[in-house]
Amino acid sequence: MLTGGLFFFWATKSIAFNLTNRYLKQESVAVYDRHGKIIDIKPNARGHYALYMRNIPSRFAKLLLQKEDRYFYAHPGVNPLSIARAGFHYAFSGKQQGSSTLTQQLVKILLEHEGSRTVSRKLKEALYALAIELHASKEQILTMYLNSAYFGNQSQGIKEAARFYFGVEPEDLREGETLALINALKNPSKTHPRAPQRPQRRSLSAFEINDL
């Protein structure tokens, strides 16, 4: 058992590294002026604007977990009770019910599986969720999720979503604004807060960057 446990820990380390590498590559390149204000941000490979935060506002995290994953700090990446409940519901109603933890949702985003619900992919996501839980803290996973989650209108992550929809930093969001962003996670293309059309961005020239 000890040998098997050590082998599993070693095998999952490469999976966690792969997920972390995918996560780091999603962050947009931003250009700041001399006062620390963002003046240009480039879309990432998915065409989204993602500005990462190192510290997630505790109020936002609390409301998110209450709504999306109340047992986040207790489960190991997957929630057996939620899976059993979803299976029971499907057996009697024929309708699928959400059973993914925030860790599984993070894995789904990083593997770009958002539009797929096949059994094989569900199993892979569960394995990857268990792997990253072994090699990252709960706070790291929660931060990665909120930096990766899509909020519609090319806004990826809580920082860019708060700036784009409400013109504030995440720590300055009101409770109603926080709930509106959390609600958008279920269907970002339809339930996102109303916002002005995203302006066309242009790349700064080398001369302009040198003048900052």
Side-chain angles (χ1 to χ4, degrees):
M1 290 180 63
L2 178 60
T3 302
L6 290 173
F7 176 78
F8 183 76
F9 183 84
W10 175 82
T12 55
K13 189 172 183 179
S14 62
I15 293 176
F17 177 80
N18 176 41
L19 289 175
T20 302
N21 192 43
R22 286 172 176 263
Y23 166 74
L24 294 174
K25 288 181 177 180
Q26 286 187 147
E27 186 172 13
S28 293
V29 175
V31 178
Y32 298 81
D33 65 14
R34 65 191 65 186
H35 304 293
K37 181 180 179 181
I38 295 175
I39 57 175
D40 189 50
I41 175 174
K42 301 181 184 300
N44 60 23
R46 304 185 70 176
H48 300 160
Y49 296 93
L51 296 173
Y52 283 3
M53 293 190 72
R54 306 303 179 244
N55 298 298
I56 299 298
S58 58
R59 180 60 178 164
F60 194 103
K62 182 179 179 180
L63 291 173
L64 173 71
L65 295 180
Q66 285 177 354
K67 184 174 176 60
E68 295 293 323
D69 191 352
R70 66 181 65 184
Y71 301 112
F72 175 73
Y73 286 102
H75 63 64
V78 297
N79 188 335
L81 292 177
S82 295
I83 294 173
R85 185 169 58 247
F88 184 83
H89 180 80
Y90 181 77
F92 284 89
S93 68
K95 296 180 180 179
Q96 292 187 345
Q97 186 181 60
S99 61
S100 296
T101 64
L102 283 188
T103 310
Q104 287 173 283
Q105 292 178 42
L106 170 63
V107 169
K108 186 180 297 185
I109 293 169
L110 296 179
L111 295 181
E112 300 184 28
H113 285 180
E114 293 98 317
S116 174
R117 293 188 177 184
T118 63
V119 174
S120 60
R121 286 195 170 185
K122 284 283 187 181
L123 292 174
K124 181 178 181 179
E125 290 162 12
L127 173 62
Y128 275 47
L130 291 170
I132 197 168
E133 287 270 355
L134 274 175
H135 300 280
S137 70
K138 287 289 187 178
E139 297 305 322
Q140 289 173 322
I141 292 170
L142 183 58
T143 299
M144 289 171 70
Y145 172 76
L146 281 174
N147 280 332
S148 303
Y150 185 58
F151 292 90
N153 282 304
Q154 297 175 276
S155 297
Q156 184 174 349
I158 178 182
K159 184 175 180 68
E160 176 62 13
R163 292 177 67 253
F164 178 66
Y165 289 116
F166 303 111
V168 299
E169 293 298 317
E171 56 267 25
D172 298 322
L173 286 168
R174 299 174 181 175
E175 183 165 327
E177 295 168 341
T178 297
L179 293 174
L181 290 179
I182 293 173
N183 185 58
L185 292 171
K186 289 293 185 184
N187 194 339
S189 62
K190 294 182 179 179
T191 59
H192 60 74
R194 293 194 176 189
Q197 183 178 1
R198 183 178 291 277
Q200 292 292 324
R201 299 181 185 269
R202 66 183 181 86
S203 298
L204 295 178
S205 68
F207 296 104
E208 291 173 306
I209 292 176
N210 290 334
D211 288 337
L212 299 180

